[in-house]
Amino acid sequence: MKTGDYNNALQVCNKLLDSVEHMNQSTIDIEQQKLLLQLALVEIYHSLGNSEQESFYLSSARESSAFDRSPIAAYRWHRKMGQKYYFAKDFELSKQHLYKALTMAEQQQDNRLLAKSFNDVGLIESQLGEFRTALEFYQKSLALKLEIGDRYPIGTTLNNIGLIYTKLENTEQAIHYYEQALDTFLNYTQEPNFDRRVFNNITHVYEDLAVTYNRLDDAQKKAFYQQKATDSIAYKNSKGEQARALINIAKLQLEEQQLDSAKHFLSKASELQNDSAFDLRLELNLSWAHYYLQNGQNDQAIVFANSGLIDAEKKNDLAKEAELYKILSDAYQTNQPKTALQFLQKYSSTREAFLAQKFDADLKTIQVTIEKQQVEHELALEQIANAEQQTKIQRLTNIVLLASLALILCIGFIVFYWFKKHKEKQSLLQNIKYHQQQLIALGETLNHDFTADPTQTFDSNDRVLESYLLANNHFSTSQSSASQNSSSHDQANNQPSTHSPEDYTTNKAIYSPSDTVQPVADNKQQQEQAKKFNESELKQILRESLVSTMIEAVSIWEKHTKTNRVELAEKSKLWTVSIDNGTLRTRSLDKYLSLEKIPLNPRWRNVAGTCHFILADMTLSPKDRSLLNQHLDSIMQNVKMLSMAVEDSSKSHQTSTTMAHH
């Protein structure tokens, strides 16, 4: 029911009512549950405007054997009876039931029940014209509701107080309470699982504000709230509620002399009134009387005004009674001046009685009391708001502290990252400087190539080779830790191309680096490995390593610089570039791209120098840099093993010669 979907609620309640009779429980429990469901059906049928079914379930609930055993159910029943008679405009019967419910609430000493009953009794006293008594009960209801803190009931009572001030023609006070009620209802809609029926109350306030601002000649606000009220009519479940809204809108149209529009709304409201349990005859008769008077149809105006007077006298509504006398006076003014004067005198006396009621001193006292309660409530709300503000400030402070801590951590991370990158950059610069130095050193010894005499090439006292190997071994150790992070994710992909470019070799041989790139070994391991192969086998391994390295170096160069190997030969100044039929050729370099063409005694320093030249480029990717370094290490390892093999062979030859002399 909180969602306002009464048709669905009706189905659910009927199913529950049917299932209760088949439950394995005591008769007392079954009757108790049936009674509660019957009272729920009373509320549903009332909201749907089905007075016949509403009356049926009220009778069923009263006849229940559990009625006298359940004070709460009895309390609810009397409230529902009072509600039924209230909307039927039988205010005396409604008053009896509502006061009975109030007595039962006092016996239960339940503040929530008391708050509801004080509001109910205030409503009926207001309809009976006892405004002072009504305000007293509203004051009590509002005090309890403020203590409980439930916004929905608070807004309802504030709206009812606004209605009293509207009847008393105190427009400013009426707007004050209407706007407080509207704010309270709207704030309530922000709560989780709120009762969606509050939207009906909100539309009522829109209607009341539109009418009240019209009395103040505030056209802008009147139009705003009138549009809000018009838009919300279709969402009302009850025909009586729809009729009430249409009457209020028609009043505004009459004020603006929009007679056709007013007639349309009044006709629709009259149709709904006929099918509704709400008694809106007084409001309809008064509005139709105004319409016909403005339209010049005085006879029709007199008929509706007389019908309205009967209803106004029953309800003791002095304000509307005086308004109807004024309509009759105006309607008779043209043809029957004496009759018009009589009704004008009745208007004057009724108006005086109303004003005496309006300016009752007790009303002022009660008004001050209510305003005092409002001030106290606003003060309490302000204290709560201050506490919430302090909580927000503390929460914000915590957020700032956390943000500061996060910022410090970020700065620390950035500094650490910068230091790490700076260290890597220094290592890279050292790497480049090393390769530049090695390139210079190799340039000075390019005349030390392989010769026919292996002892001249791989003499163990060859200082260039020894110094190169020592420097290379030292650099490899220092470089491995510095480049570990930058190249670790590329290790799995550090294999060179598995085939050479089509023009690199005539036989299109394929060289796998896994066959030529070997882990760097120490001297003892190199000696042991050298002993496994003879000198010719080691030379073949070196030649394969050189070809594989050159193929990879040229491939890396072309990929990195977007140029060709001619450019590499010219810039490195390690290879000869010749002109053949107007085309630049690198015949000496091309020999190192094919195992079939590479010299038997290759210039390993040229290959190493080419690698150093490429590695001296700072923009070279970590993956390519790591790959070329591996090839360099492999070349130098193979050179050293070959040197050791030559040295061992030389020593063996010298020993054999010495023994032969002896």
Side-chain angles (χ1 to χ4, degrees), residues 78-103:
H78 281 291
R79 281 197 74 216
K80 297 303 178 186
M81 288 296 295
Q83 173 183 274
K84 176 179 174 58
Y85 286 120
Y86 175 85
F87 285 104
K89 303 301 181 181
D90 192 341
F91 296 126
E92 290 300 329
L93 280 176
S94 175
K95 181 177 179 179
Q96 293 177 20
H97 285 286
L98 292 178
Y99 269 97
K100 178 64 176 177
L102 175 59
T103 302

Coordinates of all heavy atoms in Angstrom, one line a residue, residues 78-103:
H78 N -12.4 2.5 14.8 CA -13.1 3.8 15.1 C -12.5 4.9 14.2 O -13.3 5.8 13.8 CB -13.0 4.1 16.6 CG -13.9 3.4 17.5 ND1 -15.3 3.6 17.4 CD2 -13.8 2.4 18.4 CE1 -15.9 2.8 18.3 NE2 -15.0 2.1 18.9
R79 N -11.2 4.9 14.0 CA -10.6 5.9 13.1 C -11.2 5.8 11.7 O -11.5 6.8 11.0 CB -9.1 5.7 13.1 CG -8.4 6.3 14.3 CD -6.9 6.5 13.9 NE -6.7 7.6 13.1 CZ -5.8 7.6 12.1 NH1 -5.0 6.6 11.9 NH2 -5.6 8.7 11.3
K80 N -11.3 4.5 11.2 CA -11.8 4.3 9.9 C -13.3 4.7 9.8 O -13.7 5.2 8.7 CB -11.7 2.8 9.5 CG -10.2 2.3 9.4 CD -9.4 3.1 8.4 CE -8.0 2.7 8.4 NZ -7.1 3.6 7.5
M81 N -14.1 4.4 10.8 CA -15.5 4.9 10.8 C -15.5 6.4 10.8 O -16.4 7.0 10.1 CB -16.2 4.3 12.0 CG -16.5 2.8 12.0 SD -17.6 2.3 10.6 CE -19.1 3.1 11.1
G82 N -14.7 7.0 11.6 CA -14.7 8.5 11.6 C -14.3 9.0 10.2 O -14.9 10.0 9.8
Q83 N -13.3 8.4 9.6 CA -12.9 8.8 8.3 C -14.0 8.7 7.3 O -14.2 9.6 6.4 CB -11.7 7.9 7.9 CG -11.2 8.1 6.5 CD -10.1 7.2 6.1 OE1 -8.9 7.4 6.4 NE2 -10.4 6.0 5.6
K84 N -14.7 7.5 7.3 CA -15.8 7.3 6.4 C -16.9 8.4 6.5 O -17.4 9.0 5.5 CB -16.5 5.9 6.6 CG -17.7 5.6 5.8 CD -18.2 4.2 6.1 CE -19.5 4.0 5.3 NZ -19.4 4.1 3.8
Y85 N -17.3 8.7 7.7 CA -18.4 9.7 7.9 C -17.9 11.1 7.6 O -18.6 12.0 7.2 CB -18.9 9.6 9.4 CG -19.8 8.4 9.6 CD1 -19.5 7.5 10.6 CD2 -21.0 8.3 8.9 CE1 -20.3 6.4 10.8 CE2 -21.8 7.1 9.1 CZ -21.5 6.2 10.0 OH -22.3 5.1 10.2
Y86 N -16.6 11.3 7.8 CA -16.0 12.6 7.6 C -16.1 13.0 6.1 O -16.5 14.1 5.7 CB -14.5 12.7 8.0 CG -13.8 13.9 7.6 CD1 -13.8 15.0 8.5 CD2 -13.0 14.0 6.4 CE1 -13.2 16.2 8.1 CE2 -12.4 15.2 6.1 CZ -12.4 16.3 6.9 OH -11.8 17.4 6.6
F87 N -15.7 12.0 5.2 CA -15.8 12.2 3.8 C -17.2 12.2 3.3 O -17.5 12.8 2.2 CB -14.9 11.2 3.0 CG -13.5 11.5 3.1 CD1 -12.7 10.7 4.0 CD2 -12.9 12.5 2.4 CE1 -11.3 10.9 4.1 CE2 -11.5 12.7 2.5 CZ -10.7 12.0 3.4
A88 N -18.1 11.6 4.1 CA -19.6 11.7 3.7 C -20.2 12.9 4.2 O -21.4 13.1 4.1 CB -20.3 10.4 4.3
K89 N -19.4 13.8 4.8 CA -19.9 15.1 5.4 C -20.8 14.9 6.6 O -21.6 15.9 6.9 CB -20.5 16.0 4.3 CG -19.6 16.3 3.1 CD -18.3 17.0 3.5 CE -17.4 17.3 2.4 NZ -16.2 18.0 2.7
D90 N -20.8 13.8 7.2 CA -21.7 13.6 8.4 C -20.7 13.8 9.6 O -20.2 12.8 10.2 CB -22.2 12.1 8.4 CG -23.3 12.0 9.5 OD1 -23.3 12.8 10.4 OD2 -24.1 11.0 9.4
F91 N -20.5 15.1 9.9 CA -19.4 15.4 10.8 C -19.8 15.0 12.3 O -18.8 14.8 13.1 CB -19.1 16.9 10.7 CG -18.6 17.3 9.4 CD1 -19.2 18.3 8.7 CD2 -17.5 16.7 8.8 CE1 -18.7 18.7 7.4 CE2 -17.0 17.0 7.6 CZ -17.6 18.0 6.9
E92 N -21.0 15.0 12.6 CA -21.4 14.6 14.0 C -21.0 13.2 14.3 O -20.4 12.8 15.3 CB -22.8 14.9 14.3 CG -23.2 16.4 14.3 CD -22.4 17.1 15.4 OE1 -22.1 16.5 16.5 OE2 -22.2 18.3 15.3
L93 N -21.4 12.3 13.4 CA -21.1 10.8 13.6 C -19.5 10.6 13.5 O -19.0 9.8 14.2 CB -21.8 10.0 12.5 CG -23.2 9.6 12.8 CD1 -23.8 8.9 11.6 CD2 -23.4 8.8 14.0
S94 N -18.9 11.4 12.6 CA -17.5 11.3 12.4 C -16.8 11.7 13.8 O -15.9 11.1 14.2 CB -17.0 12.2 11.3 OG -15.6 12.2 11.2
K95 N -17.3 12.8 14.4 CA -16.8 13.3 15.6 C -16.9 12.2 16.7 O -15.9 12.0 17.5 CB -17.5 14.6 16.0 CG -17.0 15.2 17.3 CD -17.7 16.5 17.5 CE -17.2 17.2 18.8 NZ -18.0 18.4 19.1
Q96 N -18.0 11.5 16.8 CA -18.2 10.5 17.8 C -17.1 9.4 17.7 O -16.5 9.0 18.7 CB -19.6 9.9 17.7 CG -20.7 10.8 18.0 CD -22.1 10.2 17.8 OE1 -22.2 9.0 17.8 NE2 -23.1 11.0 17.6
H97 N -16.9 8.9 16.5 CA -15.9 7.8 16.4 C -14.5 8.3 16.6 O -13.7 7.6 17.2 CB -16.1 7.2 15.0 CG -17.3 6.3 14.8 ND1 -17.3 5.1 15.4 CD2 -18.5 6.5 14.2 CE1 -18.5 4.5 15.1 NE2 -19.2 5.4 14.4
L98 N -14.2 9.5 16.1 CA -12.8 10.0 16.3 C -12.5 10.3 17.8 O -11.4 10.1 18.2 CB -12.6 11.3 15.4 CG -12.7 11.0 13.9 CD1 -12.5 12.3 13.1 CD2 -11.6 10.0 13.5
Y99 N -13.5 10.8 18.5 CA -13.2 11.1 19.9 C -13.1 9.7 20.7 O -12.4 9.6 21.7 CB -14.3 11.9 20.5 CG -14.0 13.4 20.5 CD1 -14.5 14.2 19.5 CD2 -13.2 14.0 21.5 CE1 -14.2 15.6 19.4 CE2 -12.9 15.4 21.4 CZ -13.4 16.1 20.4 OH -13.1 17.5 20.3
K100 N -13.9 8.7 20.2 CA -13.7 7.4 20.8 C -12.3 6.8 20.6 O -11.7 6.3 21.5 CB -14.8 6.5 20.2 CG -14.8 5.0 20.8 CD -15.1 4.9 22.2 CE -15.1 3.5 22.7 NZ -15.3 3.4 24.2
A101 N -11.8 7.0 19.4 CA -10.5 6.6 19.1 C -9.4 7.3 19.9 O -8.5 6.7 20.4 CB -10.2 6.8 17.6
L102 N -9.7 8.6 20.2 CA -8.8 9.4 21.0 C -8.7 8.9 22.4 O -7.7 8.7 23.0 CB -9.2 10.9 21.0 CG -8.4 11.8 21.9 CD1 -6.9 11.8 21.6 CD2 -9.0 13.2 21.8
T103 N -9.9 8.5 22.9 CA -10.0 8.0 24.3 C -9.2 6.6 24.4 O -8.4 6.4 25.4 CB -11.4 7.7 24.7 OG1 -12.2 8.9 24.6 CG2 -11.5 7.2 26.1

